[in-house]
Amino acid sequence: MNETVESIEKIKKSLMRPAVVFEIGGFRPPEDPLTPWFGKVTVAARDERWPTNPDGTPMWALGQVNLSALDCVPEALKDVAFLTIFFGPNHPQDEDPNGTNWLIRTYASLEELSPLEQMKTSSHLKPFPMRPGEPVEDYPVWDGGDIPEDVRDLILQLRDEGEIEDYHDLIELHNGFKVGGHPCFIQPSTSVDEPFEFVLQIDSTGKGNLMWGHHSGSAYFSRDPRTNEWCMTWDCF
């Protein structure tokens, strides 16, 4: 094995995180209430009702994911079997805490769940069932703060020596509705601060009539597994 191959393997090993990217729609909805959904939430804990913002406006269903059925989940979600996501009707801002303009609920066991009584909302999202793809190797964007300095130096060295033309010759980025992997930040100033760990990305989709920001943005959800606290941020082109 030559030095260049060893360097590339070192880079990929240090940066790779597995991710599961979901296919949205294109197939008949299963009857199972635990089916992953975009734009729809079907279950909650027995004592939970449809969520509202502090001003009383009902939130919109953004989706649900059965984590217990996935082939891989990030370490920060190992204690979660199922999660549901709500947002709006006002566009979430970075400073909004979980429960204001957006909400993630987590469940440690599927046995906690029962049918959620639906509420009429002003949502314009188009609901579609989802299904998970096979786990993929996911890598960070170049300017997102997830590449250690020594690995960055090694990548630049390979480029300067003519072994590669660009960082993206080595890796593949995965967008969409994904669990795990790295956030595909659009703006270089976007980041995830400790102790939160990135676990979920939801992109704009014309099919589902969802738009983050003014143009094809993405939302990134991060969790502190010690406290079950969540934070979210979004950016756009």
Side-chain angles (χ1 to χ4, degrees), residues 125-230:
L125 300 187
K126 298 177 182 178
F128 289 98
M130 301 192 300
R131 56 187 172 201
E134 294 295 323
V136 294
E137 295 183 354
D138 197 31
Y139 295 88
V141 295
W142 177 251
D143 50 8
D146 283 345
I147 302 179
E149 185 174 354
D150 63 324
V151 177
R152 179 181 288 265
D153 290 343
L154 185 54
I155 295 169
L156 293 175
Q157 178 183 333
L158 290 176
R159 186 198 65 183
D160 294 343
E161 292 173 350
E163 299 294 342
I164 61 172
E165 291 186 9
D166 186 77
Y167 166 63
H168 295 91
D169 292 343
L170 303 177
I171 56 91
E172 184 175 358
L173 305 176
H174 296 278
N175 295 289
F177 192 121
K178 74 176 180 183
V179 172
H182 290 271
C184 287
F185 295 132
I186 298 168
Q187 299 297 331
S189 60
T190 314
S191 63
V192 176
D193 297 326
E194 294 183 350
F196 293 96
E197 299 177 41
F198 168 79
V199 294
L200 173 68
Q201 177 171 325
I202 303 176
D203 287 357
S204 297
T205 164
K207 185 175 188 177
N209 205 28
L210 171 66
M211 181 67 69
W212 297 104
H214 300 293
H215 182 61
S216 301
S218 298
Y220 318 97
F221 298 86
S222 303
R223 181 180 186 242
D224 181 348
R226 300 169 301 176
T227 62
N228 197 29
E229 290 183 89
W230 287 81

Side-chain angles (χ1 to χ4, degrees), residues 21-43:
V21 182
F22 286 80
E23 176 186 357
I24 299 178
F27 56 96
R28 185 180 299 276
E31 295 183 2
D32 184 356
L34 302 183
T35 293
W37 275 92
F38 171 87
K40 185 175 182 179
V41 172
T42 64
V43 294

Side-chain angles (χ1 to χ4, degrees), residues 59-81:
M59 291 186 173
W60 302 352
L62 183 50
Q64 64 181 32
V65 177
N66 184 355
L67 296 167
S68 69
L70 300 185
D71 291 333
C72 68
V73 296
E75 284 295 326
L77 287 178
K78 289 293 188 182
D79 61 332
V80 178

Side-chain angles (χ1 to χ4, degrees), residues 44 48-51 82-84 86 103-107 116:
E48 288 179 330
R49 299 294 178 264
W50 194 273
F82 200 94
L83 63 79
T84 60
F86 300 84
L103 172 69
I104 288 187
R105 290 171 168 172
T106 60
Y107 307 93
L116 174 63

